[in-house]
Amino acid sequence: MVRRIDINGTGGVRLAAWEFADPPKGHGDGEPTPGVLLLHGLMGRASHWAPTARWLAERHRAVALDQRGHGRSDKPAEGPFSREAYVADAAAAVEQLGLGPVTLIGHSMGALTAWQLAAERPDLVRALIICDMRASALGAASQREWEDWFRAWPLPFATLADVRKWFGEDDPWVERPNPARGEFFAEVMVERTDGWRPVFSRAQMLKARETWVHDAHWESLAQVRCPTLVVRGLDGELGRAEAQEMVRVLPHGQYAEVPDAGHLVHYDRPDAWRSAIEPFLDGVLTS
């Protein structure tokens, strides 16, 4: 079962939310099914969470959101693509879907959105999982690197096989062949009249990134009061020292790492990802 639910985001932006499996039928004790909202990273889409959402649905109502500018959600020409807009959209999804108090699971930019929502609206959030997102500022040089990288994409791609090969092998950002990365990017391509192109606007992705890349986010992290698990891929973008400092700053922080995983932790190593986060989720359910 795959079910789409439209959400009214901030400023009238239409957002697509997705359930990839039926939630459990209910608890004999009459307690509502605990909710989970999954937030992808920059350039991602809700479908990247499908395997995670399906095993979560054994005990939760798990919903993945296509955030503004991504997937099947609206891509307003003038935005906004601000932090405030992304956080307000996530809050709207929690409230309109009746998921609160929710467990938020976010990857990369989605993790930042998740912890900013948890800091601003503790009434909506029960627990939080942060996947491979730094709290430190990345800086102007990082933004320039992304601009150069986007310009290097050999668009349009003739076939999806070409997409998989370029992002999995030929991309200069790839240190060694990574088929999972190729699959990840194949999932965010759409066929146009001249070939395969990203479902998102690269200019809009840069606008979204511009709103958080220059700033550090330690202050909002310290305001998160719910139980929080910080997860990193051993070869990801979040270093161990920074991850452990994030755990220290969080009032109720825990730490986990996934071996042989890069930045796309849940996509690179889905079984190891589940093993890393499931004990935390079990603890949330029994607390």
Side-chain angles (χ1 to χ4, degrees):
M1 188 281 294
V2 177
R3 184 164 72 106
R4 171 178 168 164
I5 308 165
D6 283 345
I7 303 295
N8 295 316
T10 188
V13 171
R14 180 191 52 79
L15 305 171
W18 302 86
E19 290 184 89
F20 295 101
D22 291 321
K25 296 299 182 183
H27 301 275
D29 55 12
E31 288 293 316
T33 302
V36 173
L37 183 67
L38 298 134
L39 299 173
H40 60 74
L42 193 72
M43 303 182 296
R45 66 186 307 169
S47 61
H48 287 141
W49 288 116
T52 297
R54 288 181 178 127
W55 66 257
L56 281 171
E58 297 168 9
R59 302 175 71 187
H60 304 79
R61 184 186 178 201
V63 182
L65 182 67
D66 275 336
Q67 297 173 82
R68 62 175 54 216
H70 297 77
R72 296 292 184 90
S73 289
D74 284 350
K75 303 165 181 65
E78 302 303 320
F81 297 101
S82 63
R83 287 285 80 224
E84 293 77 11
Y86 280 105
V87 173
D89 287 345
V94 173
E95 292 175 326
Q96 292 174 38
L97 292 165
L99 295 175
V102 71
T103 295
L104 296 173
I105 302 178
H107 172 247
S108 195
M109 183 191 74
L112 176 59
T113 300
W115 90 56
Q116 289 179 333
L117 176 58
E120 294 178 17
R121 293 290 308 274
D123 57 306
L124 291 183
V125 184
R126 181 181 188 181
L128 172 65
I129 295 177
I130 295 168
C131 179
D132 217 64
M133 178 62 192
R134 300 182 62 183
S136 298
L138 299 180
S142 172
Q143 190 73 350
R144 289 193 297 271
E145 288 174 0
W146 273 67
E147 292 168 359
D148 292 342
W149 179 56
F150 276 153
R151 282 194 290 268
W153 290 18
L155 296 174
F157 292 97
T159 69
L160 280 179
D162 293 331
V163 174
R164 294 184 181 98
K165 184 175 186 301
W166 196 81
F167 286 102
E169 300 177 25
D170 300 337
D171 183 348
W173 281 21
V174 175
E175 295 182 357
R176 58 182 180 271
N178 186 341
R181 188 174 187 271
E183 292 294 340
F184 181 96
F185 279 96
E187 215 167 321
V188 294
M189 296 290 160
V190 62
E191 190 171 20
R192 307 293 189 191
T193 56
D194 60 348
W196 292 85
R197 293 181 176 273
V199 70
F200 51 80
S201 158
R202 289 172 294 167
Q204 290 185 350
M205 296 300 98
L206 288 172
K207 284 183 181 178
R209 196 171 188 272
E210 183 74 24
T211 65
W212 55 264
V213 71
H214 300 292
D215 301 318
H217 306 284
W218 294 100
E219 185 176 347
S220 59
L221 190 71
Q223 294 170 2
V224 174
R225 298 296 168 185
C226 64
T228 302
L229 179 66
V230 178
V231 184
R232 63 179 290 267
L234 208 59
D235 298 318
E237 296 178 7
L238 175 61
R240 180 181 284 121
E242 184 170 351
Q244 292 177 343
E245 180 63 11
M246 290 169 67
V247 172
R248 190 194 67 78
V249 166
L250 285 158
H252 303 286
Q254 301 177 40
Y255 175 74
E257 62 184 31
V258 179
D260 300 322
H263 179 57
L264 306 174
V265 181
H266 58 297
Y267 215 79
D268 283 346
R269 296 289 310 283
D271 292 339
W273 159 250
R274 177 173 181 171
S275 296
I277 71 170
E278 199 164 28
F280 174 81
L281 293 169
D282 289 345
V284 170
L285 283 177
T286 57
S287 62

